[in-house]
Amino acid sequence: MEKNKVMQRIAAVCNVIGAIALLIMLVVTVADVIMSRIFNSPFPGATEVITSVMPISVFAFLLSTQLKSRHINIDMVINRLGPKAGTLLKMAGQGIGIFLFGLLTKLTVPMAIYSYKITEHTGGGVAVPMYPAKIMIPIATGLLTIQLVLELMKSLRVLLSRNGGASY
């Protein structure tokens, strides 16, 4: 199977996970508002649930966003540059992304493992597991790092080709 297809399938799974996390946040928020307004009593553990689920909703969509080139980009600057300069600028961004997301992955893996081992939960009135979110962060950043490496290799091939990045 082609590398891009594998990453697209992984991104689709991550998107489902992110969508479920968003749905949970939506349902809990609506329930909290309704209970607060109608019954004058907030949804127990709403803050804890949202705090635990929010990182999953954010990080789950990272790979898909990168695959679709939807991250913040300075198109006005890149489009005014020549093909080689534009490719070099993209490569610089990819390199910085590899470094930062690779570092984030390296630093969050031990935290995720520890959180899972101790079955970390939120404090407060309702104990909500924190380890799913802490596991999702290194998985998502690791996948994004892999995708950035693949894109950097593609950019390097384009730069070294005869047209020097004109087809990029």
Side-chain angles (χ1 to χ4, degrees), residues 2 8 17 23 36-37 45 49 59 67 75 83 86 89 94 97-98 108 117 120 125 131 134 143 149 158:
E2 187 183 321
Q8 286 176 350
I17 293 168
L23 181 63
S36 293
R37 301 287 187 238
V49 170
F59 283 90
L67 284 170
D75 289 330
L89 187 59
Q94 292 160 342
I98 290 166
T108 57
K117 281 183 179 178
E120 184 177 10
Y131 58 89
K134 290 194 176 183
L143 289 169
V149 167
V158 169

Side-chain angles (χ1 to χ4, degrees), residues 33-97:
V33 169
I34 289 172
M35 289 181 69
S36 293
R37 301 287 187 238
I38 295 176
F39 301 111
N40 203 22
S41 175
F43 185 86
T47 303
E48 290 86 353
V49 170
I50 292 171
T51 301
S52 180
V53 174
M54 189 177 298
I56 296 172
S57 68
V58 171
F59 283 90
F61 293 112
L62 280 179
L63 179 60
S64 179
T65 305
Q66 182 64 32
L67 284 170
K68 295 176 182 178
S69 298
R70 301 284 187 184
H71 284 291
I72 296 172
N73 203 352
I74 308 172
D75 289 330
M76 290 175 27
V77 173
I78 291 175
N79 291 338
R80 291 176 191 250
L81 297 173
K84 281 190 180 183
T87 302
L88 285 170
L89 187 59
K90 284 185 181 187
M91 289 174 68
Q94 292 160 342
I96 292 168

